[in-house]
Amino acid sequence: MKKVLLTLAMAVFAISAAFAQKSFNQVFPANFANGLPEGWTVKQDGITEQVPGGLKITCSQDAPKYRADLYYNEARNAEMNFTINSRDYSVYAVKFIGNRPGSGNFKLNISVNGSWIGENTPNNEAWGLNKGNNKYAGSIMDNDGNYTYYWTIEGDLWKNATEDLVIDRVEMVMADITDDAHKSYIVSEINWYKDEETLKASIETQPAVVNLTTNVKYDNFMDAYNAAVADDVLSIVAPEIIIADRTPMKSITLEGATGNEKIIQNFNNKLLFNTGSNSNMVFKNLIFEALQGPGNQPMFEHNANGKNAQTLTMTNVTLNNISSSNVNGLFNIKQGVLALNDVKFNGCTVSEAKGFVTINEKNMLRLTGDNEGLEVYLTAANSIEASELTNTTPVKITLSDEAIATLTAENTEVMAVVLGEVAADKFEITNEGYKLEADGQGNLILVVDEGSAVSEIEADENAAVEYFNLQGVKVANPEKGIFIKRQGEKTFKVIL
């Protein structure tokens, strides 16, 4: 009899425990606009503050790394477990006011019946919590600039479960934050959705691209790009655009809405943008990166109708870690003008080229502002124009042998490395033994660096020195100005 009573008591306890756990709708959506919801805790001594729209969580540690996780049912109390119909919900989403800490690691851990679920397998038979290390699958920015990050759970164990699953712990890990500016974040809401489409439909999102000329909005970059006609201006609103194939020729402007938008190349051994004849392409307020590419091709190619014809213009553009093995570098300017204004080359490499761009007798390079990290290979005179330069680090110019011969030969015409009244220290000639000096006529010309080892070797110390003006007339006692200096068999332009 006692055994029967004990069995009944255990059964009643089990039934009571089962009914004590939370239903899905009692836990989600977890709204943080009114404080920390029941069952949620802030870890690592994170400091909380209620702010409009959400809960602000601030890391309390000292540098160099900060952390403040957000857990549900940290102690795995049975009464705080909740059930979920995994056939109806496969996307877990965290909505922020603003953005997550950009310098930290952000991942999700979920425990089902006391065991952590993991990523998927090639045959899709496991849980399928995303792509590895439980990193989020994507992010969405709404019209107010607030971001939602989400995870997808797509494995067979999740989507084919015959009964509701019991989740006994959830961890939103916000760790390894290294930037002081990222020590705080604001959580607005955490919720589950059926799929990515349902999540996206619940957020009032901005379009990916807006055609500012026609005021038409597009959710897809290539749709906007293909629809654009000459002189249209496309504003990229999405945080990043991934391009999976070479784009067709256009004569339009592409600009970032805030200056933080990225265009990412995700294919190899092809151009990203090609501008043909009669086209003036403009890139403005953008960051370029590559998941793949350009490989053995340049990233940009321009082919106009002549040296001073159509222009490929870049203003306030950053090229991040772009690598090319093309002999022309990152730009192949067949003909026409490449205009760079405040363009930064950050970690870029060109293994088979002598500069990020080759400038010859068929094209022109126009520089303004601060073009940090720019390296140029120059094969012809009078092919670089510069004005209003603000760079503190010199632009590097490597001269071909033919260019050196032309620029140092006796010539009555202006033969300048840089056309424009700018300071010589804005540039650095990488060829040993040469430097730039102003010619007094608004240009920078190539002269021998008298203090260099090359000039010492080249000069014939036993030969007499003769000076000539630019018209070829011998000058007995040259004073200030530009002259042709001849010593032995060597002839140079000099400034006295």
Side-chain angles (χ1 to χ4, degrees):
M1 183 66 177
K2 289 183 179 181
K3 184 176 180 180
V4 173
L5 290 175
L6 179 60
T7 303
L8 289 173
M10 292 179 63
V12 170
F13 175 79
I15 294 171
S16 299
F19 280 102
Q21 66 188 13
K22 301 286 186 179
S23 68
F24 176 83
N25 293 329
Q26 288 179 298
V27 181
F28 295 100
N31 188 345
F32 292 79
N34 298 316
L36 196 65
E38 182 186 13
W40 293 87
T41 54
V42 177
K43 298 295 295 176
Q44 291 84 34
D45 298 320
I47 302 168
T48 62
E49 176 188 357
Q50 202 61 49
V51 296
L55 184 70
K56 182 178 181 180
I57 300 173
T58 301
C59 303
S60 62
Q61 302 91 353
D62 295 328
K65 289 188 177 182
Y66 309 102
R67 179 170 182 171
D69 299 348
L70 185 61
Y71 289 179
Y72 176 78
N73 197 13
E74 176 189 0
R76 282 193 169 94
N77 294 326
E79 65 272 15
M80 299 304 296
N81 295 350
F82 67 89
T83 57
I84 185 170
N85 183 340
S86 58
R87 285 87 64 201
D88 289 342
Y89 296 102
S90 64
V91 171
Y92 181 94
V94 181
K95 297 182 180 181
F96 292 87
I97 301 297
N99 206 345
R100 73 173 184 90
S103 61
N105 292 322
F106 183 31
K107 65 179 184 178
L108 174 68
N109 297 321
I110 296 177
S111 176
V112 174
N113 293 325
S115 299
W116 298 109
I117 68 173
E119 60 184 289
N120 213 350
T121 61
N123 295 324
N124 212 44
E125 71 270 14
W127 290 103
L129 178 55
N130 227 44
K131 300 177 181 178
N133 200 26
N134 296 3
K135 192 176 187 297
Y136 57 87
S139 63
I140 306 168
M141 181 179 70
D142 66 19
N143 283 332
D144 296 320
N146 300 317
Y147 283 80
T148 296
Y149 289 82
Y150 62 92
W151 291 256
T152 57
I153 311 177
E154 300 175 333
D156 289 345
L157 291 180
W158 184 270
K159 68 181 182 181
N160 295 333
T162 57
E163 298 180 352
D164 290 358
L165 301 175
V166 177
I167 295 182
D168 53 71
R169 182 163 167 164
V170 179
E171 298 179 350
M172 191 182 85
V173 177
M174 196 72 71
D176 298 327
I177 300 167
T178 57
D179 192 329
D180 283 350
H182 299 161
K183 287 177 64 175
S184 297
Y185 61 92
I186 302 173
V187 179
S188 174
E189 181 183 280
I190 298 178
N191 202 5
W192 290 83
Y193 296 86
K194 180 176 179 58
D195 48 35
E196 291 184 23
E197 290 71 25
T198 305
L199 168 62
K200 293 175 181 178
S202 71
I203 301 174
E204 188 177 355
T205 58
Q206 294 181 343
V209 182
V210 178
N211 188 318
L212 299 182
T213 306
T214 63
N215 202 32
V216 177
K217 300 177 181 179
Y218 299 86
D219 293 330
N220 179 276
F221 171 78
M222 288 310 303
D223 289 345
Y225 188 87
N226 290 331
V229 298
D231 301 325
D232 278 1
V233 178
L234 299 183
S235 176
I236 297 176
V237 181
E240 61 183 38
I241 297 295
I242 298 178
I243 300 179
D245 203 353
R246 171 175 166 168
T247 59
M249 296 180 186
K250 292 285 181 179
S251 183
I252 61 175
T253 295
L254 289 181
E255 62 180 40
T258 68
N260 296 314
E261 290 74 19
K262 295 180 180 180
I263 292 181
I264 301 174
Q265 182 174 2
N266 193 22
F267 58 91
N268 212 358
N269 299 330
K270 288 184 182 180
L271 296 170
L272 180 59
F273 287 99
N274 180 24
T275 56
S277 59
N278 301 314
S279 62
N280 294 284
M281 192 79 177
V282 177
F283 299 99
K284 184 178 179 182
N285 302 334
L286 289 166
I287 300 169
F288 286 91
E289 295 181 353
L291 292 175
Q292 297 185 77
N296 60 21
Q297 295 295 315
M299 181 169 273
F300 307 93
E301 185 170 284
H302 183 64
N303 191 9
N305 292 325
K307 178 173 182 175
N308 291 289
Q310 291 76 25
T311 304
L312 169 59
T313 303
M314 291 196 161
T315 300
N316 190 27
V317 168
T318 299
L319 279 70
N320 273 338
N321 303 312
I322 307 298
S323 297
S324 171
S325 60
N326 189 269
V327 294
N328 294 300
L330 302 181
F331 297 86
N332 182 18
I333 310 301
K334 293 183 175 180
Q335 288 192 106
V337 179
L338 173 63
L340 303 180
N341 177 28
D342 290 326
V343 177
K344 292 179 174 57
F345 295 80
N346 180 27
C348 297
T349 58
V350 284
S351 59
E352 300 298 325
K354 297 180 180 179
F356 298 135
V357 57
T358 297
I359 300 300
N360 54 47
E361 72 280 357
K362 294 183 179 181
N363 53 43
M364 177 70 71
L365 176 64
R366 291 181 183 151
L367 301 176
T368 54
D370 182 2
N371 296 290
E372 182 181 331
L374 174 60
E375 299 177 9
V376 180
Y377 182 53
L378 185 66
T379 68
N382 301 336
S383 294
I384 299 178
E385 295 179 348
S387 63
E388 299 180 358
L389 298 181
T390 61
N391 55 296
T392 55
T393 302
V395 172
K396 292 184 178 181
I397 299 176
T398 300
L399 302 169
S400 67
D401 293 340
E402 293 80 5
I404 291 176
T406 301
L407 290 161
T408 57
E410 293 184 33
N411 200 314
T412 58
E413 300 178 2
V414 175
M415 301 298 283
V417 177
V418 178
L419 301 171
E421 198 163 349
V422 293
D425 63 3
K426 298 296 183 182
F427 299 90
E428 175 189 342
I429 299 297
T430 65
N431 306 78
E432 186 178 1
Y434 298 95
K435 64 180 181 178
L436 295 181
E437 289 187 356
D439 65 356
Q441 301 178 42
N443 306 302
L444 297 180
I445 62 172
L446 186 70
V447 298
V448 171
D449 186 351
E450 296 291 350
S452 70
V454 171
S455 65
E456 292 175 2
I457 294 171
E458 290 182 344
D460 183 356
E461 296 180 356
N462 296 320
V465 176
E466 297 177 297
Y467 291 93
F468 301 84
N469 63 21
L470 295 179
Q471 287 71 44
V473 178
K474 187 174 182 179
V475 180
N477 297 301
E479 295 182 354
K480 294 183 178 180
I482 303 173
F483 299 91
I484 304 298
K485 176 182 176 181
R486 184 167 66 190
Q487 185 172 23
E489 297 180 355
K490 300 298 182 181
T491 303
F492 315 104
K493 273 184 185 177
V494 295
I495 298 178
L496 301 178

